[in-house]
């Protein structure tokens, strides 16, 4: 079945450091890929998405590129801020038909940014 | 404001006492779903609904029931809660258009349930 593997956390960075959170997936066909962010005490918010190979999703300084050849969707940000401290989830939805639009999530990566 | 709401946000209960967690969306979405979030396991789908009166099991449906009598509401029912259902629960909704991956899913704020 479909699965998502993302790097284990926690990740601790200093403000203005470069961030990479690795994400790889297993799925048939061409799934859509997502990064969700969960701030402390809140629900999940969509951070960015990509729906086909070589697409780059971007939002709030974060970027991720859909790499079909390596089945990856790594999240990057050039300069993190304290306000980026949160749990980040990589997820996919298959586009191969069916009636369940289930998101398959990775286990999440806790990011802490120190001033 | 477009949103998904859940109630209650926090609940402590005892084994065997029936409870309902409500979920409501104001975006006229067709698709709704329930997930539970557990440490080290990420989020797993419990049940989903493609439209009114159409519900189906997700990956971890045991011990849960749902109903979809109106488009906006999708309550999660625990008829006889047990301690292994202690978790953080999220409701989500989306337009339900094809293909699936083109639909942004909107999440509620979560319900933290503790079963003693």
């Amino acid at each position: 079945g479909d699965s998502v593997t993302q790097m284990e956390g926690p990740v601790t960075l200093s403000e203005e450091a470069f961030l990479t959170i690795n994400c790889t997936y297993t799925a048939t066909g061409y799934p859509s890929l997502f990064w969700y962010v969960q701030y402390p005490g809140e629900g999940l918010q969509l951070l960015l998405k990509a729906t086909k190979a070589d697409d780059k999703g971007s939002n709030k300084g974060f970027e991720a590129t859909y790499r079909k050849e390596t089945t990856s969707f790594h999240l990057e940000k050039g300069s993190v801020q304290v306000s980026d401290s949160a749990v980040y989830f990589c997820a996919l939805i298959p586009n191969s038909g069916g009636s369940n639009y289930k998101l398959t999530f990775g286990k999440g990566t806790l990011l802490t940014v120190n001033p | 404001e477009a949103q998904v709401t859940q109630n209650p946000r926090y609940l402590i209960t005892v084994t065997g006492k029936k409870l309902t967690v409500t979920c409501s969306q104001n975006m006229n979405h067709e698709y709704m779903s329930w997930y539970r979030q557990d440490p080290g396991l990420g989020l797993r789908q419990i049940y989903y609904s493609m439209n009114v009166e159409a519900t189906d099991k997700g990956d971890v449906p045991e011990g849960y029931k749902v109903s979809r009598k109106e488009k906006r509401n999708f309550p999660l029912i625990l008829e006889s809660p047990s301690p292994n259902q202690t978790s953080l629960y999220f409701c989500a909704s989306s337009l339900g258009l094809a293909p699936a991956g083109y639909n942004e899913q909107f999440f509620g704020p979560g319900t933290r349930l503790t079963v003693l």
Side-chain angles (χ1 to χ4, degrees), chain A residues 98-113:
Chain A
S99 63
N100 187 2
Y101 292 4
K102 179 184 74 173
L103 279 157
T104 296
F105 287 91
K107 295 182 179 180
T109 302
L110 172 63
L111 170 66
T112 301
V113 181

Side-chain angles (χ1 to χ4, degrees), chain B residues 31-50:
Chain B
Y31 179 85
M32 298 185 75
S33 181
W34 277 102
Y35 295 85
R36 60 177 288 174
Q37 181 182 12
D38 300 291
L41 297 176
L43 284 87
R44 296 174 292 168
Q45 188 187 54
I46 303 170
Y47 268 94
Y48 69 96
S49 169
M50 284 302 294

Side-chain angles (χ1 to χ4, degrees), chain A residues 32 34 36 38 41-46 49-52 87 89 93-95 98-108, chain B residues 9 31 35 37 40-43 45 48 50 57-59 88 90 94 96-105 107-109:
Chain A
S32 291
F34 304 83
Y36 278 83
Q38 183 179 27
E42 299 184 12
L44 281 76
Q45 302 174 25
L46 178 64
K49 70 177 185 182
T51 54
K52 59 183 185 294
V87 180
F89 292 93
I93 295 180
N95 283 313
S99 63
N100 187 2
Y101 292 4
K102 179 184 74 173
L103 279 157
T104 296
F105 287 91
K107 295 182 179 180
Chain B
R9 293 288 312 278
Y31 179 85
Y35 295 85
Q37 181 182 12
L41 297 176
L43 284 87
Q45 188 187 54
Y48 69 96
M50 284 302 294
K57 298 176 181 178
D59 295 324
L88 180 58
F90 289 101
S94 74
L97 302 174
Y102 286 73
N103 294 258
E104 177 179 352
Q105 288 199 23
F107 283 79

Side-chain angles (χ1 to χ4, degrees), chain A:
Chain A
D2 300 335
S3 67
V4 174
T5 303
Q6 62 182 101
M7 63 188 286
E8 299 279 336
V11 173
T12 302
L13 297 173
S14 298
E15 206 164 25
E16 299 184 0
F18 184 86
L19 169 71
T20 300
I21 301 178
N22 290 336
C23 171
T24 58
Y25 68 90
T26 301
T28 54
Y30 294 85
S32 291
L33 302 174
F34 304 83
W35 277 100
Y36 278 83
V37 59
Q38 183 179 27
Y39 297 104
E42 299 184 12
L44 281 76
Q45 302 174 25
L46 178 64
L47 181 60
L48 53 84
K49 70 177 185 182
T51 54
K52 59 183 185 294
D54 300 324
D55 267 2
K56 177 185 282 188
S58 61
N59 186 25
K60 299 181 180 180
F62 291 89
E63 293 183 341
T65 301
Y66 189 142
R67 300 288 188 200
K68 180 65 177 175
E69 63 276 12
T70 54
T71 61
S72 65
F73 193 54
H74 304 321
L75 182 69
E76 296 182 336
K77 186 175 186 183
S79 177
V80 294
Q81 305 300 313
V82 172
S83 57
D84 294 326
S85 297
V87 180
Y88 292 82
F89 292 93
C90 186
L92 68 82
I93 295 180
N95 283 313
S96 53
S99 63
N100 187 2
Y101 292 4
K102 179 184 74 173
L103 279 157
T104 296
F105 287 91
K107 295 182 179 180
T109 302
L110 172 63
L111 170 66
T112 301
V113 181
N114 294 318

Side-chain angles (χ1 to χ4, degrees), chain B residues 68-80:
Chain B
R68 187 91 182 272
K69 294 184 171 59
E70 310 163 276
K71 184 184 270 192
R72 64 184 294 128
N73 296 322
F74 191 45
L76 180 69
I77 303 155
L78 286 73
E79 299 238 328
S80 183

